[in-house]
Every structure is written in C-alpha cells, then in structure tokens.
Amino acid sequence: MSILQICGFALLGVLVVTVLKSVRPEYATVTGVITGMLLLVFTMTPLASVLTSVTELAEDTGFSAYSSVILKSMGIGILGQTTADVCRDSGVGTLASKVEFAAKVMILLLCVPILQTLLGLIEGFLK
Amino acid sequence: MKRYRRLMGVILLLSAIFLCFPFSVSADDAEETKIDVTVPEELREYLPDGVGTFTPSEVLESFDFSFFAKLGIRIIAEAAPEAAKSFALLLGLMLMAAVLGVIRRTVTSVGLQAVMELVGMVCIASAVFSVTEGVFSIAEGYVSSLSAFMNQITPVMAGFMIASGQVTSAAVVSGVIFTAVSLLESIVANVLFPMIRLSLCMSLVTSMFGITGISGIAPMLKKMISYVFGFVTLCLSAVLMFQSLIAKSTDSLAMRGIKFAVGQFIPFVGGAVNEALSTIIGGIGTIKAATGVVAAVIVCLIAAVPLIKILLQKMFLELVSVCAGILGLSGENRLMGEVASFFGYTAAVVAISGVFFLLSVSMMASLG
Amino acid sequence: MNTELLLKVAGIGILVTVAYQILHKSGRDEQAMLVSIAGLIIVLLMLVQEMGGLFDSVKSIFGL
C-alpha cells in the first residue's frame, strides 16, 4: 500500500466525480463519499500496526487505562470528522456541526472517569 | 605523638560512655558495640564492615574522599534504575499522546482539537501525579529519620561533654540542639512540605487547563515558599556565626568541585550551602579529630541518599519534559517542567536540613 | 486496491445516464425516472456496505 497508489486512487475518484457531476449530480456526491470511505479503509491498515505497537508500549507502563482512553478519543475524532466532512460536502452544513458537537461530547464523556481519578490523586496528595 | 595519645584517650572515654549509657533503640544485635546501634537500618550496608570495632588509624584511613566518592557513585547506581523505570513509564504514555497529537492536528474542527488535547493532558497529568507522590514520601521520610537520629546522637555527645567536665555547656548545647531539631522538623513537615504540595497542585492545574483566572495564586505561593526558605537560611547563617570556634578548612580541589556542583543543582540556597560547606568541611575535620567520625558519616549518608534520589528523579523528569517538547506536546512540556522545578524545591529543603544538622553535630563535637 | 468498486459506481452512473437519455428521447419519462432511481439505490447500497466495513475496522482498531 504505497502513497502512489493512494494518490492515484484519489485522483481517479476526483475524475469520476467531475464526470458524473455534469450528468447526474446525485451520483457525484455518492461517488465522492465512497472514494473517501475507501481511502480511509486503506489507511486503516498501516494505522492499525502503528497503534498496536504504541499500545503495547503503553501497556508495559501500567497506565493502560489512560492509553485506551487516548486511543478511543482518537477514533471518535477521526470518525466524527469524516462524517462531518461528508455532510458538508453534501451541502448539509448544519448536520456537520451537530455531528462534530456530538463527537466532542462523547470524548468528554470518556474523559470523566480519568478526571475523577486525577481529582482523587490531587486530594490524596494534598493531605 | 601527644595528639595521638589524646585521641586514644578520647576514644577510650567514648567507649566507656557508650557502655555506661543505656540506649533504647530497636537494634537487632545487642552484642555489637553501641556505636553500631545508632545506624539506621537502611544505611548499614553503606558503611564498611565491622564498623563497631575500629582503631583510630583505620577510621582516618577508611573514611577518606575516595570512600565518599565510591559511596556517592554507589547510591546513584542504586537509585538510578528506579527513577529511570518510572520515567520510562511516562515516556511510553507520552508517545501515545504524541500519536494522538498528530492525528488531532489532522482534524480540522477547532473544538474537537481542543477536546482531544484536554484528554491527552489529563492522562499525562494523572500519570505524573502518581509518580510525584513517591518523591515527596522520600523527602518526608528523610526528615523524620534525620531528626530521630539527631535525638539519639545528642545525648551521646552531651554525655561526652559532661565526661570532659563541661557540664553547663553540655546542658546548654543539648537544649539548643533539641529545640532546633524539633523546630526544624515542625517547620519542614507542617509548613514547607504542605506549601510545596499546594503550590504544585496549583501550578499543575493552571498549566493543565490554561486557566488564567487563578494563575496569580501559583506565583504568590512560590514567593511564600522562597520567603520561608529565606527565613530558614537566615537561621542557618545565625548558627554559622556561632561557629567561629570551628576552623575553616583549606579549599582543596575536591571541595571546590563539590561546591560548584551543589551550587548548580540546588536552587535558592546554593549560595548558603556553599558557604556552609567550607564550614562543614572544617566541622568534619573537627569531628574526625574528636572521634565523632561515624556520626558525621551517618549524617552525611542520611542527607545524601534522599538528596541524590530526588535530584535523579528531577533530572529524569526534565528529560521527559524535553521529549514532550520535541514531540510537539507543549502543554505536557510545561506541566513536567513545573513538577521538575518543585522537585528542585524539595531537594533544597532536604539540603538545608542536612547542612543544618551536620553543623549541629560538628558544633557539639568541637565543643567536646 | 479496491478500484473495482469505484469503477463499478462510475459504470453504473454512465449506464443510467445513457438509459435515461434513450428512454427520455423515446418519450417514456416515468421509466426513465425509475431507472435513474434504481441506479441510485444500487449505488447507495454499495456505499452502505462499504461504510459498514469501514466502521467495523475502525471499531476494532480503536476499541470503541
């Protein structure tokens, strides 16, 4: 999976979208979305290997709760961003901002137990 | 020859006093001579074998500069893996946060970026906090063990002074030392360490969340800490004034090296400690001559071991902070830099108390 | 490399356009409409399948 293949694929997608935009505009947006999804799927494989090696490193440290939180927030961010972009491309900007807002809330939700742990640590520290 | 005979006589007197004075300590071997009794458990391995029975020449031979140098290297070698381990942990966690940071920057929405930054920061802060607790417990344990040792050694020295006929000065000096020990212990335990902890938490919170509202409190607390340090250093200088009895030592090359190193690593009181060091070396010389060698070495050890441990942890934390800066985690960089500077304050507290007690021991010994 | 999917979508789009034009020219507008909608539905189904695959892999990688 080289960068050349990925770039070539993206350019191909752009061409198809441009062609279809003049004939059937609705197909154009769908094709754009599909191309984006496929590209994301392609990048998932190398990303997975990077993340597994870093997770192993973090697990050795014993702070595995923290590393899983960081990982999950990464995933939420990527997904939320992608979906928001798709919404924006299709012209529904309001949906995009709602999706982004929802992603922020979910990440904050993840953060809450860690914050509680931190506050407990601070409390014990100050005694 | 006359000096040697005096030394012998003093040693015999000391052994006689040790045999006469009962010591209630938790020693395992009651058969060993009483000098061994006052050694705290964890320091026993650092002293040469058979420390209970020695001749004066052996003492003067074994506790020379190379002994201290080897001891220092040994303490560092023992403390380093522990410190390195806890900071390898932090480094691993930081790598994860760095990967998060890279992905975060590809996300275009500003709000999402801010939230992800928050998550990374909170995780690293929790990890750093659980590590700092260890350092503070080292420092606090040190102070209590040092004052316990001082409370043991003062009657010994006082008895020694009584035996050589200076009853009133023995009473005065031991009274002064006892008061000073308890005063310093309560100042350090009830004022200095809680203040350091509190301002550490404040700095952490402000650097973590970038809250500007309470950012005025942290520098104010830092100022208060430096005032208390200044006060303690003032008392130290007052004690130094009374040390005119102790002859100043010669400025040997090794002592210059130690002074320079101390000045570099310990903030605030580097100057005062350097001043005190020349007096200490003179003090140590006097102790050596007056047979309190073992007590002096023990005081040095009690002060040096936690100091070295704390400074090692500080160094590793600064290393991790630099790595955070390189990986682009500016918030975590700031956080760890703050914690490292607070480690420096803790080390300064340990250094002051160590110097103070060493001076007291030397003062008692010189009057004897 | 999943270029086939993309080319399939492109192919369907072109097919539907051609069919639409032919049917439109011969006056069967409703059928033309049906054909274009059918093509759209097929393409959307492919999209949904692909999305499902993507979400599954993201879930497994990030542990969500």
Side-chain angles (χ1 to χ4, degrees):
Chain A
M1 194 66 46
S2 72
I3 184 69
L4 286 170
Q5 284 179 314
I6 294 182
C7 291
F9 187 74
L11 288 172
L12 185 66
V14 167
L15 277 172
V16 171
V17 167
T18 327
V19 163
L20 287 176
K21 220 187 270 196
S22 49
V23 267
R24 304 239 128 235
E26 59 268 20
Y27 282 76
T29 22
V30 174
T31 322
V33 170
I34 289 187
T35 322
M37 298 262 155
L38 284 172
L39 278 174
L40 212 57
V41 167
F42 296 148
T43 44
M44 277 301 137
T45 341
L47 186 64
S49 52
V50 166
L51 286 176
T52 24
S53 40
V54 175
T55 321
E56 270 164 24
L57 198 72
E59 236 140 67
D60 286 339
T61 72
F63 293 128
S64 52
Y66 302 146
S67 64
S68 76
V69 164
I70 290 181
L71 206 57
K72 280 192 198 166
S73 64
M74 248 193 271
I76 294 180
I78 291 179
L79 268 181
Q81 183 64 48
T82 319
T83 321
D85 283 337
V86 167
C87 295
R88 228 168 264 130
D89 277 344
S90 318
V92 197
T94 41
L95 270 184
S97 34
K98 297 296 170 294
V99 165
E100 276 174 5
F101 180 67
K104 273 186 247 176
V105 168
M106 302 303 301
I107 295 182
L108 279 176
L109 203 68
L110 274 183
C111 207
V112 164
I114 305 270
L115 267 174
Q116 283 173 339
T117 322
L118 182 64
L119 285 175
L121 276 173
I122 292 184
E123 209 183 336
F125 191 69
L126 282 177
K127 282 224 177 70
Chain B
M1 195 55 198
K2 189 178 165 197
R3 180 170 162 265
Y4 190 72
R5 229 187 280 155
R6 233 183 96 209
L7 202 60
M8 278 298 296
V10 149
I11 297 251
L12 285 171
L13 206 54
L14 189 65
S15 348
I17 289 165
F18 280 140
L19 289 170
C20 296
F21 275 70
F23 295 113
S24 57
V25 286
S26 55
D28 7 71
D29 271 329
E31 277 92 5
E32 292 181 1
T33 54
K34 293 298 184 176
I35 296 180
D36 207 24
V37 151
T38 55
V39 176
E41 291 295 321
E42 62 271 9
L43 296 181
R44 217 171 275 233
E45 55 181 46
Y46 291 126
L47 294 170
D49 296 326
V51 77
T53 57
F54 48 78
T55 68
S57 51
E58 265 178 30
V59 161
L60 290 174
E61 265 175 24
S62 48
F63 290 145
D64 60 355
F65 182 65
S66 73
F67 168 76
F68 283 113
K70 272 187 242 161
L71 197 62
I73 292 175
R74 190 171 151 194
I75 295 178
I76 291 181
E78 279 180 9
E82 217 182 281
K85 182 169 149 256
S86 51
F87 290 101
L89 310 197
L90 266 184
L91 203 62
L93 195 60
M94 236 178 35
L95 277 173
M96 281 228 72
V99 173
L100 174 67
V102 165
I103 294 186
R104 175 180 86 218
R105 266 167 232 123
T106 66
V107 167
T108 50
S109 145
V110 175
L112 266 178
Q113 274 191 4
V115 174
M116 286 163 102
E117 192 172 340
L118 179 71
V119 168
M121 183 76 84
V122 169
C123 290
I124 298 250
S126 318
V128 167
F129 245 103
S130 34
V131 166
T132 51
E133 182 60 45
V135 169
F136 275 88
S137 55
I138 291 178
E140 283 166 355
Y142 149 78
V143 170
S144 54
S145 78
L146 193 60
S147 35
F149 177 73
M150 285 304 291
N151 287 335
Q152 278 180 351
I153 203 73
T154 310
V156 172
M157 293 299 207
F160 183 48
M161 283 195 279
I162 289 175
S164 50
Q166 301 165 305
V167 180
T168 40
S169 57
V172 165
V173 165
S174 51
V176 164
I177 299 288
F178 274 130
T179 324
V181 165
S182 53
L183 189 68
L184 195 73
E185 188 182 2
S186 41
I187 284 184
V188 167
N190 299 334
V191 176
L192 275 180
F193 276 136
M195 263 196 347
I196 292 182
R197 280 175 188 251
L198 187 64
S199 46
L200 176 67
C201 288
M202 293 258 113
S203 305
L204 257 161
V205 168
T206 52
S207 68
M208 231 185 353
F209 299 112
I211 303 172
T212 46
I214 59 173
S215 67
I217 298 186
M220 189 188 81
L221 275 173
K222 275 190 195 172
K223 245 189 249 176
M224 273 175 61
I225 288 182
S226 51
Y227 284 155
V228 175
F229 268 157
F231 170 68
V232 174
T233 317
L234 193 66
C235 297
L236 195 60
S237 325
V239 169
L240 275 176
M241 266 169 39
F242 291 114
Q243 301 307 305
S244 52
L245 301 170
I246 302 178
K248 289 215 184 255
S249 80
T250 56
D251 271 332
S252 66
L253 198 63
M255 289 311 146
R256 274 191 203 272
I258 293 180
K259 276 196 216 179
F260 176 73
V262 165
Q264 289 302 305
F265 285 130
I266 301 181
F268 289 151
V269 297
V273 171
N274 271 339
E275 272 284 326
L277 255 183
S278 359
T279 326
I280 288 174
I281 304 308
I284 288 182
T286 319
I287 292 178
K288 266 168 68 171
T291 79
V293 180
V294 178
V297 171
I298 291 175
V299 171
C300 276
L301 273 178
I302 295 183
V305 170
L307 194 65
I308 289 181
K309 281 190 189 164
I310 293 179
L311 286 178
L312 262 177
Q313 300 262 14
K314 175 177 183 216
M315 187 183 79
F316 277 115
L317 188 59
E318 278 174 354
L319 204 67
V320 175
S321 158
V322 164
C323 291
I326 291 176
L327 290 171
L329 305 166
S330 62
E332 284 84 344
N333 181 10
R334 245 179 323 160
L335 187 99
M336 292 193 228
E338 293 274 343
V339 175
S341 71
F342 279 102
F343 282 3
Y345 296 166
T346 321
V349 169
V350 169
I352 296 179
S353 6
V355 164
F356 186 72
F357 289 137
L358 200 57
L359 274 180
S360 324
V361 170
S362 67
M363 185 172 78
M364 286 192 294
S366 73
L367 288 178
Chain C
M1 206 67 189
N2 233 345
T3 26
E4 308 97 48
L5 185 62
L6 186 62
L7 292 172
K8 252 192 256 177
V9 169
I12 292 181
I14 295 179
L15 256 173
V16 165
T17 319
V18 166
Y20 187 85
Q21 291 300 337
I22 294 178
L23 288 169
H24 187 68
K25 283 292 158 53
S26 48
R28 298 195 206 154
D29 276 331
E30 321 82 39
Q31 279 171 342
M33 192 68 13
L34 279 171
V35 162
S36 96
I37 289 178
L40 194 62
I41 290 177
I42 294 175
V43 168
L44 279 176
L45 276 174
M46 283 194 224
L47 171 67
V48 164
Q49 253 180 342
E50 204 52 46
M51 252 201 289
L54 172 69
F55 284 175
D56 275 336
S57 55
V58 166
K59 220 157 94 166
S60 68
I61 288 176
F62 291 105
L64 287 165

